[in-house]
């Protein structure tokens, strides 16, 4: 795969090999503006790669080094996400500056990049996630317009299409066994959502992150029947 070298100084040593990929959007007005920030020593942020809208791929940090892209985050009980992940920044202005669909050329490049990365590291489909998945209360990216289904169809990541599921929706303020089971399911999938039986603001943030990834047509933080059906199907697919 062809890369444009654009070295960032913002990295340190890894202690374990990467077994996770975290996808981001840049959330800045332009790609050059994002690239400048990712390569500026005083920004203290970076990623291993940045993918432009036209499909160009910039290599910023060697995969064997720990880039600084995820911040305070968690997946499957692990909290040093930077230490065990490869971070890919995907150029898009994001929700703050005019969020828009990701061009075909850009997604094709992301798919090719994922395939390339996975020739070197053992990364399971269930460990290809978004920034919002690992930091649901802080982040929204890469957001509900990102085509996770297309990635999964190309062999990278999880996607399910369960039948419609009945059942009363669960929302913030509710309590009980149904909420406990929902939280346990999210925790098993990988989210930081310790079961308490109380649908609090954190649980709502996890539901929104889950919906942005696996139910993008409805991102409201309410666990309706289809949201729960997709969670159950994903747990079966990742077992």
């Amino acid at each position: 795969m062809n890369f444009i070298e654009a070295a960032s100084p913002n990295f340190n040593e890894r202690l374990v090999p990467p077994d996770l990929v975290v996808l981001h959007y840049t959330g800045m007005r332009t790609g050059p503006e994002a690239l400048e920030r990712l390569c500026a020593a005083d920004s203290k942020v970076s990623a291993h790669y940045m993918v432009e809208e036209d499909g160009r791929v910039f290599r910023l940090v060697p995969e064997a080094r720990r880039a600084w892209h995820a911040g305070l985050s968690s997946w499957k009980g692990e909290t040093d996400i930077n230490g065990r992940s490869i971070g890919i920044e995907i150029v898009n202005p994001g929700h703050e500056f005019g969020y828009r669909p990701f061009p075909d050329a850009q997604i094709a490049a992301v798919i090719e990049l994922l395939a390339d990365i996975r020739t070197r590291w053992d990364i399971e489909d269930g460990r290809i996630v978004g920034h919002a998945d690992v930091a649901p209360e802080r982040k929204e990216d890469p957001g509900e317009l990102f085509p996770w289904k297309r990635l999964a169809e190309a062999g990278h990541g999880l996607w399910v299409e369960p039948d419609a599921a009945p059942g009363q929706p669960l929302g913030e303020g509710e309590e009980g066994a149904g909420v406990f089971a929902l939280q346990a399911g999210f925790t098993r999938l990988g989210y930081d959502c310790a079961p308490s039986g109380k649908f609090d603001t954190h649980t709502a943030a996890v539901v929104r992150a889950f919906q942005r990834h696996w139910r993008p047509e409805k991102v409201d933080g309410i666990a309706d029947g289809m949201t729960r059906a997709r969670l159950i199907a994903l747990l079966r697919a990742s077992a």
Side-chain angles (χ1 to χ4, degrees), residues 75-76 124-126 158-162 178 180-191 193 195 210 214 226-239:
W75 192 252
K76 286 190 175 289
E124 299 175 358
D125 284 324
L158 297 175
W159 189 263
V160 293
E161 294 284 0
F180 189 96
L182 176 72
Q183 293 167 327
F186 283 133
T187 299
R188 184 179 158 201
L189 188 61
Y191 290 94
C193 194
F210 176 88
W214 283 292
M226 180 53 78
T227 297
R228 298 199 300 275
R230 292 198 178 182
L231 174 57
I232 292 168
L234 283 164
L235 291 172
R236 289 172 177 162
S238 60

Side-chain angles (χ1 to χ4, degrees), residues 170-171 174-184 195-200 203:
L170 296 172
E174 297 195 48
E175 300 183 13
V179 176
F180 189 96
L182 176 72
Q183 293 167 327
S196 67
K198 297 181 179 180
F199 201 120
D200 54 11
T203 302

Side-chain angles (χ1 to χ4, degrees), residues 37-88:
R37 184 167 187 266
L38 291 165
C39 294
D42 59 355
S43 73
K44 304 299 182 185
V45 296
S46 62
H48 294 90
Y49 299 98
M50 190 188 85
V51 183
E52 256 289 9
E53 290 186 296
D54 60 6
R56 288 175 295 150
V57 179
F58 294 82
R59 180 160 54 189
L60 313 181
V61 173
E63 292 174 2
R65 299 292 183 260
R66 180 181 180 272
W68 305 340
H69 59 95
L72 183 63
S73 50
S74 174
W75 192 252
K76 286 190 175 289
E78 300 151 357
T79 55
D80 182 14
I81 298 303
N82 284 339
R84 63 187 318 127
S85 66
I86 291 174
I88 301 173

